[in-house]
Coordinates of all heavy atoms in Angstrom, one line a residue:
R1 N 0.8 -1.2 0.0 CA 0.0 0.0 0.0 C 0.9 1.3 0.0 O 0.6 2.2 -0.7 CB -1.0 0.0 1.2 CG -1.9 1.1 1.2 CD -2.7 1.1 2.5 NE -2.1 1.7 3.5 CZ -2.1 1.4 4.8 NH1 -2.9 0.4 5.2 NH2 -1.5 2.1 5.7
E2 N 1.9 1.3 0.8 CA 2.8 2.4 0.9 C 3.5 2.6 -0.5 O 3.7 3.7 -0.9 CB 3.8 2.2 2.0 CG 3.2 2.3 3.4 CD 2.6 3.6 3.7 OE1 3.1 4.6 3.3 OE2 1.5 3.6 4.4
K3 N 4.0 1.6 -1.1 CA 4.6 1.7 -2.4 C 3.6 2.3 -3.4 O 4.0 3.2 -4.1 CB 5.1 0.3 -2.9 CG 6.3 -0.2 -2.3 CD 6.7 -1.4 -3.0 CE 8.0 -2.0 -2.5 NZ 8.5 -3.1 -3.2
K4 N 2.4 1.9 -3.4 CA 1.4 2.4 -4.3 C 1.2 3.9 -4.1 O 1.2 4.7 -5.1 CB 0.1 1.6 -4.2 CG -1.0 2.0 -5.2 CD -2.2 1.2 -5.0 CE -3.3 1.6 -6.1 NZ -4.5 0.8 -5.9
Q5 N 1.1 4.3 -2.8 CA 0.9 5.7 -2.5 C 2.1 6.5 -3.0 O 1.9 7.6 -3.5 CB 0.6 5.9 -1.0 CG -0.7 5.3 -0.6 CD -1.0 5.4 0.9 OE1 -0.1 5.8 1.7 NE2 -2.2 5.2 1.3
Q6 N 3.2 6.0 -2.7 CA 4.5 6.7 -3.1 C 4.5 6.9 -4.6 O 4.9 8.0 -5.1 CB 5.7 6.0 -2.5 CG 7.0 6.8 -2.6 CD 6.9 8.1 -1.8 OE1 6.2 8.2 -0.8 NE2 7.8 9.0 -2.1
K7 N 4.3 5.9 -5.3 CA 4.3 6.0 -6.7 C 3.3 6.9 -7.3 O 3.5 7.6 -8.3 CB 4.1 4.5 -7.4 CG 5.4 3.7 -7.2 CD 5.4 2.5 -8.1 CE 4.7 1.3 -7.5 NZ 4.8 0.1 -8.3
M8 N 2.1 7.0 -6.7 CA 1.1 8.0 -7.1 C 1.6 9.4 -6.8 O 1.4 10.2 -7.6 CB -0.2 7.7 -6.4 CG -1.0 6.5 -6.7 SD -1.4 6.5 -8.5 CE -2.5 7.8 -8.5
A9 N 2.3 9.6 -5.7 CA 2.8 10.9 -5.4 C 3.8 11.3 -6.4 O 3.9 12.5 -6.9 CB 3.4 10.9 -4.0
I10 N 4.7 10.4 -6.9 CA 5.6 10.6 -7.9 C 5.0 11.0 -9.2 O 5.4 12.0 -9.9 CB 6.6 9.4 -8.1 CG1 7.5 9.2 -6.8 CG2 7.4 9.5 -9.3 CD1 8.2 7.9 -6.8
L11 N 4.0 10.3 -9.6 CA 3.3 10.6 -10.8 C 2.6 11.9 -10.8 O 2.7 12.7 -11.8 CB 2.2 9.5 -11.1 CG 2.6 8.1 -11.5 CD1 1.5 7.2 -11.6 CD2 3.4 8.2 -12.8
R12 N 2.0 12.3 -9.6 CA 1.4 13.7 -9.5 C 2.5 14.7 -9.6 O 2.3 15.8 -10.2 CB 0.7 13.8 -8.1 CG -0.7 13.2 -8.1 CD -1.5 13.6 -6.9 NE -0.8 13.3 -5.7 CZ -0.9 12.1 -5.0 NH1 -1.6 11.2 -5.5 NH2 -0.3 11.9 -3.9
A13 N 3.7 14.5 -9.0 CA 4.7 15.5 -9.0 C 5.3 15.6 -10.5 O 5.6 16.8 -10.8 CB 5.9 15.0 -8.1
N14 N 5.3 14.5 -11.2 CA 5.8 14.6 -12.6 C 4.8 15.3 -13.5 O 5.2 15.7 -14.7 CB 6.1 13.2 -13.1 CG 7.3 12.6 -12.5 OD1 8.2 13.3 -12.0 ND2 7.4 11.3 -12.5
E15 N 3.6 15.6 -13.0 CA 2.6 16.3 -13.8 C 2.6 17.8 -13.5 O 1.9 18.6 -14.2 CB 1.1 15.8 -13.6 CG 1.0 14.4 -14.2 CD -0.3 13.8 -13.8 OE1 -1.1 14.5 -13.0 OE2 -0.6 12.7 -14.2
S16 N 3.4 18.3 -12.5 CA 3.4 19.7 -12.1 C 4.7 20.3 -12.8 O 5.8 19.9 -12.5 CB 3.6 19.7 -10.6 OG 4.0 21.0 -10.2
P17 N 4.4 21.3 -13.6 CA 5.5 22.0 -14.3 C 6.5 22.6 -13.3 O 7.7 22.5 -13.5 CB 4.8 23.1 -15.1 CG 3.5 22.6 -15.2 CD 3.1 21.8 -14.0
D18 N 6.1 23.1 -12.2 CA 7.0 23.6 -11.2 C 8.0 22.6 -10.7 O 9.1 22.8 -10.5 CB 6.3 24.3 -10.0 CG 5.5 25.6 -10.4 OD1 5.8 26.1 -11.6 OD2 4.6 26.0 -9.7
I19 N 7.4 21.5 -10.3 CA 8.2 20.4 -9.7 C 9.2 19.8 -10.8 O 10.3 19.5 -10.5 CB 7.3 19.4 -9.1 CG1 6.6 20.0 -7.8 CG2 8.2 18.1 -8.6 CD1 5.7 19.0 -7.2
V20 N 8.7 19.6 -12.0 CA 9.5 19.1 -13.0 C 10.7 20.1 -13.3 O 11.9 19.7 -13.4 CB 8.7 18.9 -14.3 CG1 9.6 18.6 -15.5 CG2 7.7 17.8 -14.1
A21 N 10.4 21.4 -13.3 CA 11.5 22.4 -13.5 C 12.5 22.3 -12.3 O 13.7 22.4 -12.5 CB 10.9 23.8 -13.7
Q22 N 11.9 22.3 -11.1 CA 12.8 22.2 -9.9 C 13.7 21.0 -9.9 O 14.9 21.1 -9.6 CB 12.0 22.2 -8.6 CG 12.8 22.2 -7.4 CD 11.9 22.1 -6.1 OE1 10.8 21.5 -6.1 NE2 12.4 22.6 -5.0
K23 N 13.2 19.9 -10.3 CA 14.0 18.6 -10.3 C 15.1 18.8 -11.4 O 16.2 18.3 -11.1 CB 13.1 17.4 -10.7 CG 12.3 17.0 -9.5 CD 11.2 15.9 -9.9 CE 11.6 14.8 -10.8 NZ 10.6 13.8 -11.0
A24 N 14.8 19.4 -12.5 CA 15.8 19.6 -13.6 C 16.9 20.5 -13.1 O 18.1 20.2 -13.3 CB 15.1 20.1 -14.8
L25 N 16.5 21.5 -12.4 CA 17.5 22.5 -11.9 C 18.4 21.9 -10.9 O 19.6 22.0 -11.0 CB 16.8 23.7 -11.3 CG 17.7 24.8 -10.6 CD1 18.6 25.4 -11.7 CD2 16.8 25.8 -10.0
L26 N 17.8 21.2 -9.9 CA 18.6 20.5 -9.0 C 19.6 19.5 -9.5 O 20.7 19.4 -9.1 CB 17.7 19.9 -7.8 CG 17.0 20.9 -7.0 CD1 16.0 20.1 -6.0 CD2 17.9 21.8 -6.2
K27 N 19.1 18.7 -10.5 CA 19.9 17.8 -11.1 C 21.1 18.4 -11.8 O 22.3 17.9 -11.8 CB 19.0 16.9 -12.1 CG 19.8 15.8 -12.9 CD 20.1 14.7 -11.9 CE 20.6 13.5 -12.6 NZ 21.2 12.5 -11.8
A28 N 20.8 19.5 -12.5 CA 21.9 20.3 -13.3 C 22.9 20.9 -12.3 O 24.1 20.9 -12.6 CB 21.2 21.3 -14.1
I29 N 22.4 21.3 -11.2 CA 23.3 22.0 -10.3 C 24.1 21.0 -9.4 O 25.4 21.1 -9.3 CB 22.6 22.9 -9.2 CG1 21.9 24.1 -10.0 CG2 23.5 23.3 -8.1 CD1 21.0 24.8 -9.1
Y30 N 23.5 19.9 -9.0 CA 24.1 19.0 -8.0 C 24.6 17.6 -8.7 O 25.2 16.9 -8.0 CB 23.3 18.7 -6.8 CG 23.0 19.9 -6.0 CD1 21.7 20.5 -6.0 CD2 24.0 20.5 -5.2 CE1 21.5 21.7 -5.2 CE2 23.8 21.6 -4.5 CZ 22.5 22.2 -4.4 OH 22.3 23.3 -3.7
L31 N 24.2 17.4 -10.0 CA 24.6 16.2 -10.6 C 24.2 15.0 -9.8 O 23.0 14.7 -9.6 CB 26.1 16.3 -11.0 CG 26.5 17.5 -11.7 CD1 28.0 17.5 -12.0 CD2 25.8 17.6 -13.1
N32 N 25.2 14.2 -9.4 CA 24.9 12.9 -8.8 C 24.9 13.1 -7.3 O 24.8 12.0 -6.5 CB 25.8 11.8 -9.2 CG 25.6 11.4 -10.6 OD1 24.4 11.3 -11.0 ND2 26.6 11.1 -11.4
H33 N 25.1 14.3 -6.7 CA 25.0 14.5 -5.3 C 23.6 14.2 -4.8 O 22.7 14.4 -5.5 CB 25.5 15.8 -5.0 CG 25.6 16.2 -3.5 ND1 24.5 16.5 -2.7 CD2 26.8 16.2 -2.7 CE1 25.0 16.6 -1.4 NE2 26.3 16.5 -1.5
P34 N 23.4 13.7 -3.6 CA 22.1 13.5 -3.1 C 21.2 14.7 -3.2 O 20.0 14.5 -3.3 CB 22.2 13.1 -1.6 CG 23.6 12.5 -1.6 CD 24.4 13.3 -2.7
Y35 N 21.7 15.9 -3.1 CA 20.8 17.1 -3.2 C 20.2 17.2 -4.6 O 19.2 17.8 -4.8 CB 21.6 18.4 -3.0 CG 22.1 18.7 -1.6 CD1 23.0 19.6 -1.4 CD2 21.6 17.9 -0.6 CE1 23.4 19.9 0.0 CE2 22.0 18.2 0.8 CZ 22.8 19.2 1.0 OH 23.3 19.5 2.3
G36 N 20.7 16.4 -5.6 CA 20.2 16.5 -6.9 C 19.1 15.5 -7.2 O 18.6 15.3 -8.3
H37 N 18.7 14.7 -6.1 CA 17.7 13.7 -6.2 C 16.5 14.1 -5.4 O 16.6 14.6 -4.4 CB 18.2 12.4 -5.7 CG 19.4 11.9 -6.4 ND1 19.4 11.3 -7.6 CD2 20.8 11.9 -6.1 CE1 20.6 11.0 -8.0 NE2 21.5 11.3 -7.1
T38 N 15.3 13.8 -6.0 CA 14.1 14.1 -5.3 C 13.9 13.3 -4.1 O 14.3 12.1 -4.1 CB 12.9 13.9 -6.2 OG1 11.7 14.1 -5.5 CG2 12.8 12.6 -6.9
I39 N 13.3 13.8 -3.0 CA 13.1 13.0 -1.8 C 12.0 11.9 -2.0 O 11.9 10.9 -1.3 CB 12.8 13.8 -0.6 CG1 11.5 14.6 -0.8 CG2 13.9 14.8 -0.2 CD1 11.0 15.3 0.4
L40 N 11.2 12.1 -3.1 CA 10.1 11.1 -3.4 C 10.7 9.8 -4.0 O 10.0 8.9 -3.9 CB 9.1 11.7 -4.4 CG 8.3 12.8 -3.9 CD1 7.3 13.3 -5.0 CD2 7.3 12.3 -2.7
G41 N 11.9 9.9 -4.6 CA 12.5 8.8 -5.2 C 11.9 8.7 -6.7 O 11.3 9.7 -7.2
T42 N 12.1 7.6 -7.3 CA 11.5 7.3 -8.6 C 10.7 6.1 -8.5 O 10.7 5.3 -7.6 CB 12.7 7.1 -9.6 OG1 13.3 5.8 -9.2 CG2 13.7 8.2 -9.7
E43 N 9.9 5.9 -9.5 CA 9.1 4.7 -9.6 C 9.9 3.5 -9.4 O 9.5 2.5 -8.7 CB 8.2 4.6 -10.8 CG 7.1 5.7 -10.8 CD 6.3 5.5 -12.1 OE1 5.4 4.6 -12.1 OE2 6.4 6.4 -13.0
E44 N 11.0 3.5 -10.1 CA 11.9 2.3 -10.1 C 12.5 2.1 -8.7 O 12.6 1.0 -8.3 CB 13.1 2.5 -11.1 CG 12.6 2.5 -12.6 CD 12.1 3.9 -13.0 OE1 12.4 4.9 -12.3 OE2 11.4 4.0 -14.0
S45 N 13.0 3.2 -8.1 CA 13.6 3.0 -6.8 C 12.5 2.6 -5.7 O 12.8 1.7 -4.8 CB 14.3 4.3 -6.3 OG 13.4 5.4 -6.0
V46 N 11.4 3.0 -5.8 CA 10.3 2.7 -4.9 C 9.9 1.2 -5.1 O 9.8 0.5 -4.1 CB 9.0 3.5 -5.1 CG1 7.8 3.0 -4.3 CG2 9.3 5.0 -4.6
E47 N 9.9 0.8 -6.3 CA 9.6 -0.6 -6.6 C 10.6 -1.6 -6.0 O 10.3 -2.7 -5.6 CB 9.4 -0.8 -8.1 CG 8.8 -2.2 -8.5 CD 7.5 -2.4 -7.9 OE1 6.6 -1.5 -7.8 OE2 7.2 -3.5 -7.4
K48 N 11.9 -1.1 -6.0 CA 13.0 -2.0 -5.6 C 13.1 -2.1 -4.1 O 13.7 -3.1 -3.5 CB 14.3 -1.4 -6.1 CG 14.6 -1.6 -7.5 CD 15.9 -1.0 -7.9 CE 16.1 -1.0 -9.4 NZ 17.4 -0.4 -9.8
I49 N 12.5 -1.2 -3.3 CA 12.6 -1.2 -1.9 C 11.9 -2.4 -1.3 O 10.7 -2.8 -1.6 CB 12.0 0.0 -1.3 CG1 12.7 1.3 -1.6 CG2 11.9 -0.1 0.3 CD1 12.2 2.6 -1.2
Q50 N 12.6 -3.1 -0.4 CA 12.0 -4.3 0.2 C 11.9 -4.1 1.7 O 12.6 -3.2 2.3 CB 12.9 -5.5 0.0 CG 13.0 -5.9 -1.5 CD 11.7 -6.3 -2.1 OE1 10.9 -7.0 -1.5 NE2 11.4 -5.8 -3.3
Q51 N 11.2 -4.8 2.4 CA 11.0 -4.6 3.9 C 12.3 -4.8 4.6 O 12.6 -4.1 5.6 CB 10.0 -5.6 4.4 CG 9.6 -5.3 5.9 CD 8.5 -6.3 6.4 OE1 8.3 -7.3 5.7 NE2 7.9 -5.9 7.5
T52 N 13.2 -5.7 4.1 CA 14.5 -5.9 4.8 C 15.3 -4.6 4.6 O 16.1 -4.3 5.6 CB 15.2 -7.1 4.1 OG1 15.3 -6.9 2.8 CG2 14.5 -8.4 4.5
N53 N 15.2 -3.8 3.5 CA 16.0 -2.6 3.4 C 15.5 -1.6 4.4 O 16.4 -0.9 5.0 CB 15.7 -2.0 2.0 CG 16.0 -2.9 0.8 OD1 15.2 -3.2 0.1 ND2 17.3 -3.3 0.8
I54 N 14.3 -1.5 4.7 CA 13.8 -0.6 5.7 C 14.2 -1.0 7.1 O 14.7 -0.2 7.9 CB 12.3 -0.5 5.6 CG1 11.9 0.2 4.2 CG2 11.7 0.4 6.7 CD1 10.5 0.0 3.8
K55 N 14.1 -2.3 7.5 CA 14.5 -2.7 8.7 C 16.0 -2.5 8.9 O 16.4 -2.1 10.0 CB 14.2 -4.2 8.9 CG 12.7 -4.5 9.1 CD 12.5 -6.0 9.2 CE 11.0 -6.3 9.5 NZ 10.7 -7.7 9.6
N56 N 16.8 -2.8 7.9 CA 18.3 -2.6 8.1 C 18.6 -1.1 8.2 O 19.4 -0.8 9.1 CB 19.0 -3.2 6.9 CG 19.0 -4.6 6.8 OD1 18.7 -5.4 7.8 ND2 19.2 -5.2 5.6
F57 N 18.0 -0.3 7.5 CA 18.2 1.1 7.6 C 17.8 1.6 9.1 O 18.6 2.4 9.8 CB 17.3 1.9 6.6 CG 17.6 3.5 6.7 CD1 18.6 4.0 5.9 CD2 16.8 4.2 7.6 CE1 18.8 5.4 6.1 CE2 17.0 5.6 7.6 CZ 18.0 6.2 6.9
Y58 N 16.7 1.2 9.6 CA 16.3 1.6 10.9 C 17.3 1.1 12.0 O 17.6 1.9 12.8 CB 14.9 1.0 11.2 CG 14.3 1.4 12.5 CD1 13.6 2.6 12.6 CD2 14.4 0.6 13.6 CE1 13.1 3.0 13.9 CE2 14.0 0.9 14.8 CZ 13.3 2.1 15.0 OH 12.8 2.4 16.2
Q59 N 17.7 -0.2 11.9 CA 18.6 -0.7 12.8 C 20.0 0.0 12.8 O 20.6 0.2 13.8 CB 18.8 -2.2 12.7 CG 17.5 -3.0 13.0 CD 17.6 -4.5 12.6 OE1 18.5 -4.9 11.8 NE2 16.7 -5.3 13.1
Q60 N 20.3 0.4 11.6 CA 21.7 1.0 11.5 C 21.7 2.5 12.0 O 22.6 2.9 12.6 CB 22.2 1.0 10.0 CG 23.5 1.6 9.8 CD 24.0 1.4 8.5 OE1 23.4 0.8 7.6 NE2 25.2 2.1 8.1
Y61 N 20.6 3.2 11.6 CA 20.6 4.6 11.8 C 19.8 5.1 13.1 O 20.1 6.2 13.6 CB 20.2 5.4 10.6 CG 21.2 5.2 9.5 CD1 21.0 4.4 8.4 CD2 22.5 5.9 9.6 CE1 21.9 4.2 7.5 CE2 23.4 5.7 8.5 CZ 23.1 4.9 7.5 OH 24.1 4.7 6.5
Y62 N 18.9 4.4 13.5 CA 18.0 4.9 14.6 C 18.5 4.2 15.9 O 17.9 3.3 16.5 CB 16.5 4.5 14.4 CG 15.8 5.4 13.4 CD1 16.1 5.4 12.0 CD2 14.9 6.4 13.9 CE1 15.5 6.2 11.1 CE2 14.3 7.3 13.0 CZ 14.6 7.2 11.6 OH 14.0 8.1 10.8
T63 N 19.7 4.7 16.3 CA 20.3 4.2 17.5 C 20.7 5.3 18.5 O 20.7 6.5 18.1 CB 21.7 3.5 17.1 OG1 22.6 4.5 16.6 CG2 21.5 2.4 16.1
A64 N 20.9 5.0 19.7 CA 21.2 6.0 20.7 C 22.5 6.7 20.3 O 22.6 7.9 20.6 CB 21.4 5.3 22.0
Q65 N 23.4 6.1 19.7 CA 24.7 6.7 19.3 C 24.4 7.9 18.3 O 25.2 8.8 18.2 CB 25.7 5.7 18.7 CG 26.2 4.7 19.6 CD 25.2 3.4 19.7 OE1 24.1 3.4 19.2 NE2 25.6 2.5 20.6
N66 N 23.4 7.8 17.5 CA 23.1 8.8 16.5 C 22.1 9.9 17.0 O 21.8 10.8 16.3 CB 22.4 8.2 15.3 CG 23.5 7.3 14.5 OD1 24.7 7.6 14.6 ND2 23.0 6.4 13.7
A67 N 21.7 9.7 18.3 CA 20.8 10.8 18.8 C 21.5 12.1 19.2 O 22.6 12.1 19.7 CB 20.1 10.2 20.1
I68 N 20.8 13.2 18.9 CA 21.2 14.5 19.3 C 20.1 15.2 20.0 O 18.9 15.2 19.5 CB 21.7 15.3 18.1 CG1 22.9 14.6 17.4 CG2 22.0 16.7 18.5 CD1 23.3 15.3 16.1
I69 N 20.3 15.7 21.2 CA 19.3 16.4 21.9 C 19.8 17.8 22.1 O 20.8 18.1 22.4 CB 19.1 15.8 23.3 CG1 18.7 14.3 23.2 CG2 18.2 16.6 24.2 CD1 18.6 13.5 24.5
S70 N 18.9 18.7 21.7 CA 19.1 20.1 21.9 C 18.2 20.8 22.9 O 17.0 20.4 22.9 CB 18.9 20.8 20.5 OG 19.7 20.3 19.5
M71 N 18.8 21.7 23.7 CA 17.9 22.4 24.6 C 18.3 23.8 24.5 O 19.4 24.2 24.3 CB 18.2 21.9 26.1 CG 17.9 20.5 26.3 SD 18.2 20.1 28.0 CE 17.7 18.3 28.1
S72 N 17.3 24.7 24.7 CA 17.6 26.1 24.7 C 16.9 26.8 25.8 O 16.0 26.2 26.5 CB 17.1 26.7 23.4 OG 15.7 26.6 23.2
G73 N 17.3 27.9 26.2 CA 16.7 28.7 27.2 C 17.6 28.7 28.4 O 18.9 28.5 28.4
D74 N 17.1 29.1 29.5 CA 17.9 29.4 30.8 C 18.2 28.1 31.4 O 17.5 27.7 32.4 CB 17.2 30.3 31.6 CG 18.0 30.8 32.9 OD1 19.2 30.7 32.8 OD2 17.4 31.3 33.8
I75 N 19.2 27.3 31.0 CA 19.5 26.0 31.5 C 21.0 25.8 31.4 O 21.6 26.2 30.4 CB 18.7 24.9 30.8 CG1 18.9 23.5 31.5 CG2 19.1 24.8 29.3 CD1 18.0 22.4 31.0
D76 N 21.6 25.3 32.5 CA 23.0 25.0 32.4 C 23.3 23.6 32.1 O 22.3 22.8 32.1 CB 23.7 25.4 33.8 CG 23.1 24.7 35.0 OD1 22.7 23.5 34.8 OD2 23.1 25.3 36.1
R77 N 24.5 23.2 31.8 CA 24.8 21.9 31.4 C 24.5 20.9 32.4 O 23.9 19.8 32.1 CB 26.3 21.8 31.0 CG 26.6 20.5 30.4 CD 28.2 20.3 30.0 NE 28.4 19.1 29.5 CZ 28.6 18.8 28.2 NH1 28.5 19.9 27.3 NH2 28.8 17.7 27.8
K78 N 24.7 21.1 33.7 CA 24.5 20.2 34.8 C 23.0 19.8 34.8 O 22.6 18.7 34.9 CB 25.0 20.7 36.1 CG 24.8 19.8 37.3 CD 25.3 20.4 38.6 CE 25.1 19.4 39.7 NZ 25.5 20.0 41.0
T79 N 22.2 20.8 34.8 CA 20.7 20.6 34.8 C 20.3 19.9 33.6 O 19.5 18.9 33.7 CB 20.0 21.9 34.9 OG1 20.5 22.7 36.0 CG2 18.5 21.8 35.1
A80 N 20.8 20.2 32.4 CA 20.5 19.5 31.2 C 20.8 18.0 31.3 O 20.0 17.1 30.9 CB 21.1 20.2 30.1
E81 N 22.0 17.7 31.8 CA 22.4 16.3 31.9 C 21.6 15.6 32.9 O 21.3 14.4 32.7 CB 23.9 16.3 32.3 CG 24.8 16.7 31.1 CD 26.3 16.7 31.6 OE1 26.6 16.6 32.7 OE2 27.1 16.9 30.7
Q82 N 21.1 16.2 33.9 CA 20.2 15.6 34.9 C 18.8 15.2 34.2 O 18.3 14.2 34.6 CB 20.0 16.4 36.1 CG 21.2 16.5 37.0 CD 21.0 17.6 38.1 OE1 20.1 18.3 38.2 NE2 22.0 17.5 39.1
L83 N 18.4 16.1 33.4 CA 17.1 15.9 32.7 C 17.2 14.7 31.8 O 16.4 13.9 31.6 CB 16.6 17.1 32.0 CG 16.2 18.3 32.8 CD1 16.0 19.5 31.9 CD2 15.0 18.0 33.6

């Protein structure tokens, strides 16, 4: 179901002149850099995704070692660490 929804979003985006132009501009500027690729992916890339890819990505990147916590306001480091 998710793949179908994502592919429909890609098809809708490809019908929008603004989005098509933006994709072409980003591709021309950034070439093969990730900034030059749409976050929606392509129909081909969405079709290739398997559940194991998603599980592996989650296990690799959603870890305590990758967590960053930001605090702002009137708080010192000691109090922040206690929280």
Side-chain angles (χ1 to χ4, degrees):
R1 185 182 83 215
E2 292 296 325
K3 281 185 177 185
K4 184 178 179 180
Q5 289 177 352
Q6 189 68 17
K7 288 195 273 185
M8 289 300 296
I10 292 167
L11 289 173
R12 281 192 305 271
N14 288 338
E15 292 175 356
S16 167
D18 291 345
I19 294 176
V20 171
Q22 181 184 27
K23 284 171 42 177
L25 177 64
L26 293 176
K27 182 74 172 167
I29 293 171
Y30 295 111
L31 304 174
N32 289 323
H33 187 278
Y35 289 168
H37 301 283
T38 174
I39 62 170
L40 292 175
T42 64
E43 289 183 73
E44 296 81 18
S45 66
V46 171
E47 192 57 42
K48 288 180 185 178
I49 294 173
Q50 300 297 317
Q51 188 174 19
T52 55
N53 303 119
I54 297 167
K55 285 181 179 180
N56 290 340
F57 180 90
Y58 182 85
Q59 290 171 347
Q60 182 175 354
Y61 294 105
Y62 283 74
T63 64
Q65 295 84 357
N66 290 337
I68 297 174
I69 298 174
S70 300
M71 296 182 183
S72 63
D74 188 20
I75 189 168
D76 60 32
R77 184 179 182 105
K78 183 179 178 184
T79 306
E81 288 175 353
Q82 289 174 348
L83 290 173

